[in-house]
Amino acid sequence: MPTVVVVGAQWGDEAKGKVVDCLAQDADMVVRYGGGSNAGHTVRFDGREFKLHLIPSGIFRPQVTSIIASGVVVDPQVLVEEIRALQADGVSVDNLKVSARAHVVMPYHRLLDALEEKQRGSAQIGTTCRGIGPAYADKAARKGIRMADLRHPERFAAVLRSALEEKSRLLKLVYDADCPALEEVWGEYEQFLPVLRPLITDTDPLVYSAVKSGKRVVFEGAQGTLLDLDHGTYPYVTSSHPISGGACVGTGIGPTHIDAVIGVAKAYTTRVGSGAFPTELPNETGNYLRERGREYGTTTGRPRRCGWLDTVLLRYSAQVNGLTAFAMTLLDVLSGLETVQICRAYRLPDGQVVEQFPSDSVVLQQCEPVYEQLPGWKEEIADVRRWDELPEEAKRYVQRVEELTGVPVAMVSVGPMRTQTFWRHNVLEDAPVRSLKELARRQALP
Ligand code: IMP
């Protein structure tokens, strides 16, 4: 397992945290490459449950260096709270590093996020109100504050003063709202600095040297492919690049250094927030999936919209991410259904059947799913630990997804615990050789 990118293949919440935690067992480094505290990654083991928003899911493995890379927008308050909560639970954060290039989420970003949402009225995106969009907007407009600025009090004071001057005018004129005063923000952020300063470093060379020396590096995506700013269901997307290419942009690693891309997909589909969702089930079956899958947001607690698996969407995801395999999660949730359905195409209003995911969200809104019906399975499968222990119908379901997408399902997850997982194809070991060290290691094998 030299370098692996783990991406959400749908609209986020696919249980990437669990998959990353499992891969981290054999990893040297886990790198979170994008998004911010809008993400919620849940990791469960030994009867304990941890909810992470910013810290990589490799933090529970003592041999792993955990990196919050340059593409992440960091809310210091959330990060410090998360660090303290982990330490209180006896989890060491000694191996945690934060990129000096990462941008900082400020209180006015959170305020603007909420005000912009309110102004959108019925066209609300349904953001997490964590300030993500406004923080990335400042970054793109080249007026953001970066973690490097927090290392120097005078520099931080200067950039903060200039940001607040602009934001207070904007808030007053456009939203008739008050911006927090300099003393207030300074007072709040000053208390985070002693915790954060020792973590801030130039992470790009750390990741590069790990990759170059053949270390096993997992790049942890946040959100999901369909929430990507460029390739998702715009405008109902987040403001970052959850797709696999985001791992390169967000960490400073070139594409030739990526060996495998694992797309994490639920055995069904969910979405939070607004936007088109062709296979949504606003009915009893949808409620069944929601309750069995505990489909309530980790970050906001919102009930998630639930529906059947959509392989038009998954094929698109395979395309834009260059997926080498899927990890299929929450297969256990489908137990107990008489029949299960898989969307294999969309029907447009003029009757035309298409297999390509439309680039236009308005067209997507009009798409009717074309389903295949498969027999369901009655048995609970939470205790299954091997492929051949699965009911035949469940195996057929997974195989049909492989046939419809052309991508192997390498890993199956049948419950939230670390142990409720099994691998089917050793696609990670079979990844292409990228370094001489790795080549030597493999050639040394019998
Ligand atoms: P934002 O990222 O808070 O700006 O929200 C933009 C859209 O992305 C909204 O529809 C959110 O519900 C969605 N979103 C953001 N983060 C996540 C996530 O971690 N899981 C699922 N949806 C998310």
Side-chain angles (χ1 to χ4, degrees):
M1 188 182 69
T3 57
V4 181
V5 180
V6 177
V7 293
Q10 297 157 317
W11 273 292
D13 307 317
E14 300 94 347
K16 293 177 291 295
K18 173 184 165 158
V19 174
V20 170
D21 172 58
C22 288
L23 289 170
Q25 183 176 5
D26 300 314
D28 300 298
M29 183 179 272
V30 176
V31 188
R32 167 78 187 272
Y33 63 79
S37 60
N38 48 350
H41 294 174
T42 308
V43 178
R44 295 181 181 88
F45 57 93
D46 300 341
R48 299 157 83 197
E49 177 178 279
F50 297 90
K51 290 184 192 300
L52 301 172
H53 299 286
L54 281 166
I55 295 181
S57 305
I59 198 74
F60 305 102
R61 310 287 189 172
Q63 87 286 1
V64 164
T65 302
S66 293
I67 305 241
I68 299 176
S70 311
V72 178
V73 288
V74 179
D75 187 326
Q77 186 187 342
V78 177
L79 181 55
V80 168
E81 270 170 23
E82 216 164 288
I83 290 171
R84 292 198 173 128
L86 286 172
Q87 285 172 330
D89 274 321
V91 178
S92 167
V93 292
D94 291 352
N95 294 337
L96 176 66
K97 315 258 176 253
V98 183
S99 171
R101 287 191 165 91
H103 278 245
V104 184
V105 176
M106 303 300 295
Y108 48 77
H109 291 136
R110 275 178 263 144
L111 188 59
L112 277 166
D113 198 352
L115 291 167
E116 285 171 7
E117 270 292 81
K118 201 165 156 214
Q119 198 178 53
R120 287 182 192 112
S122 61
Q124 277 192 5
I125 294 170
T127 75
T128 57
C129 287
R130 296 297 183 107
I132 305 302
Y136 276 115
D138 273 358
K139 172 176 168 170
R142 292 152 298 172
K143 54 189 178 187
I145 297 179
R146 304 206 298 177
M147 293 305 285
D149 298 321
L150 301 192
R151 288 196 291 212
H152 312 281
E154 302 88 53
R155 204 163 111 186
F156 179 41
V159 285
L160 181 59
R161 184 170 294 110
S162 121
L164 286 172
E165 272 167 21
E166 191 227 343
K167 295 298 185 252
S168 55
R169 265 182 290 139
L170 170 74
L171 282 161
K172 191 42 90 200
L173 288 173
V174 179
Y175 300 102
D176 194 23
D178 292 327
C179 187
L182 177 67
E183 301 69 37
E184 197 185 321
V185 182
W186 180 262
E188 188 189 344
Y189 276 52
E190 205 178 21
Q191 48 172 320
F192 305 138
L193 300 183
V195 183
L196 295 183
R197 274 199 193 116
L199 311 179
I200 303 170
T201 185
D202 193 356
T203 57
D204 294 13
L206 292 180
V207 180
Y208 183 66
S209 66
V211 167
K212 280 299 272 183
S213 59
K215 292 258 167 63
R216 292 156 303 178
V217 181
V218 178
F219 296 93
E220 178 175 17
Q223 289 82 44
T225 301
L226 276 299
L227 290 174
D228 186 276
L229 181 59
D230 281 313
H231 303 282
T233 46
Y234 192 88
Y236 300 102
V237 292
T238 189
S239 300
S240 64
H241 295 289
I243 61 166
S244 60
C248 294
V249 179
T251 63
I253 288 296
T256 49
H257 292 298
I258 306 292
D259 294 315
V261 183
I262 310 292
V264 186
K266 286 179 186 177
Y268 48 96
T269 312
T270 64
R271 178 165 202 176
V272 274
S274 317
F277 180 176
T279 63
E280 184 172 12
L281 294 168
N283 59 18
E284 269 313 299
T285 311
N287 292 343
Y288 183 85
L289 298 176
R290 186 175 306 106
E291 293 315 312
R292 278 185 62 89
R294 297 165 296 276
E295 295 294 355
Y296 294 89
T298 312
T299 302
T300 58
R302 289 180 289 178
R304 297 179 185 138
R305 301 156 67 192
C306 297
W308 294 121
L309 191 73
D310 183 344
T311 59
V312 182
L313 180 160
L314 290 184
R315 280 195 297 273
Y316 175 69
S317 191
Q319 173 198 317
V320 295
N321 290 305
L323 295 185
T324 52
F326 281 119
M328 185 184 279
T329 56
L330 294 125
L331 184 62
D332 55 303
V333 172
L334 297 184
S335 286
L337 293 166
E338 204 64 49
T339 54
V340 283
Q341 312 218 42
I342 300 180
C343 169
R344 62 167 181 80
Y346 294 151
R347 185 169 290 106
L348 299 175
D350 64 3
Q352 193 193 339
V353 172
V354 294
E355 294 188 348
Q356 288 280 329
F357 194 79
S359 58
D360 187 336
S361 293
V362 177
V363 175
L364 184 65
Q365 195 87 47
Q366 299 164 347
C367 286
E368 289 288 331
V370 178
Y371 286 118
E372 276 186 20
Q373 183 165 297
L374 276 74
W377 55 95
K378 285 267 166 269
E379 304 90 325
E380 290 295 346
I381 57 172
D383 294 330
V384 167
R385 294 293 175 272
R386 284 184 10 212
W387 172 252
D388 52 17
E389 290 171 5
L390 277 179
E392 283 309 314
E393 296 83 356
K395 281 189 208 161
R396 182 74 200 110
Y397 182 78
V398 176
Q399 284 164 338
R400 190 63 191 133
V401 175
E402 291 182 314
E403 287 161 11
L404 287 167
T405 59
V407 178
V409 174
M411 179 205 203
V412 177
S413 167
V414 291
M417 304 300 288
R418 245 180 208 173
T419 48
Q420 292 175 297
T421 311
F422 55 88
W423 290 89
R424 288 183 64 218
H425 306 278
N426 204 348
V427 288
L428 301 181
E429 274 302 317
D430 296 341
V433 174
R434 296 286 187 196
S435 75
L436 292 177
K437 201 168 165 187
E438 171 62 8
L439 184 63
R441 192 184 73 75
R442 288 203 205 172
Q443 284 176 344
L445 295 175

